[in-house]
Amino acid sequence: MKEHIIVDLRMFKNFLYLFILLITQVYSCKSVVPSNLQGSNSIEMELILNENYSGFEQENYILIKNQKDLNAFYGKINRTRKPGLTPPKVDFDSEMILVWCGDYSASEYAKLEVREKDTFLEIQNKRSKVAKEENSLIVSPFSVYKLPLSSKSIKIKQ
């Protein structure tokens, strides 16, 4: 009788090992699911800064590819700030800066999406079309983004 119990325990143990191995194999297989981003050529951007006053009167997109231009931009927005904002540390050998400056009618920050096309980078501002209540504050918001360096020009998609 004791031998039957030992044999049954060994079979149960072997079955358990086989079951665990099978479950591990099933869950370790990577499923093939098509991604939404594969065909879109979206470029990853890192938001560096959102502020409420840029000093620009009209909406503007600025692509900065060197430290001199970055310092000039920060010089313009720091004219009325004491103490001023410090420019971020950027490796311009592998990165560039994209700046969106809103006009006085803009009451919120931009939600930019950049897509890489064959000969240019397409920028689309994903602003909400819902009208918000009137804001009595006069602001000209701006957003600074860091993205990978590219030699392509930019085009704005409205």
Side-chain angles (χ1 to χ4, degrees):
M1 182 80 164
K2 207 172 192 184
E3 291 176 359
H4 292 295
I5 294 176
I6 291 175
V7 170
D8 286 342
L9 283 176
R10 283 185 192 157
M11 284 180 47
F12 178 73
K13 188 170 89 174
N14 289 338
F15 174 76
L16 189 61
Y17 286 141
L18 182 64
F19 182 73
I20 290 173
L21 181 66
L22 180 67
I23 295 296
T24 305
Q25 287 296 323
V26 168
Y27 281 109
S28 67
C29 292
K30 299 197 187 250
S31 62
V32 179
V33 178
S35 171
N36 305 13
L37 298 177
Q38 285 178 348
S40 71
N41 294 333
S42 261
I43 294 179
E44 289 294 319
M45 296 190 311
E46 176 186 347
L47 177 65
I48 296 175
L49 179 67
N50 274 335
E51 282 291 328
N52 286 328
Y53 184 72
S54 66
F56 289 87
E57 296 176 4
Q58 296 179 348
E59 185 175 39
N60 197 3
Y61 294 86
I62 304 168
L63 190 60
I64 300 174
K65 293 187 176 183
N66 59 49
Q67 190 66 41
K68 180 182 174 189
D69 292 344
L70 182 64
N71 290 340
F73 170 73
Y74 270 82
K76 179 164 174 78
I77 63 171
N78 283 336
R79 284 186 200 159
T80 58
R81 298 175 191 264
K82 299 299 176 216
L85 299 172
T86 58
K89 303 285 187 223
V90 178
D91 177 17
F92 285 104
D93 294 331
S94 62
E95 299 170 326
M96 60 185 177
I97 299 290
L98 176 65
V99 179
W100 169 80
C101 299
D103 56 7
Y104 289 124
S105 66
S107 61
E108 60 185 35
Y109 302 117
K111 294 173 185 74
L112 299 181
E113 182 177 285
V114 177
R115 293 178 190 224
E116 189 171 19
K117 301 292 183 179
D118 291 335
T119 58
F120 60 91
L121 299 175
E122 181 182 71
I123 299 172
Q124 185 173 10
N125 193 340
K126 299 280 188 178
R127 267 189 266 182
S128 62
K129 303 291 182 197
V130 179
K132 298 197 174 188
E133 64 183 56
E134 279 297 313
N135 189 352
S136 61
L137 297 175
I138 297 176
V139 295
S140 58
F142 71 97
S143 300
V144 179
Y145 294 91
K146 186 189 311 184
L147 54 145
L149 184 64
S150 175
S151 60
K152 298 178 181 180
S153 62
I154 61 171
K155 291 192 178 180
I156 311 302
K157 182 179 178 183
Q158 297 297 336

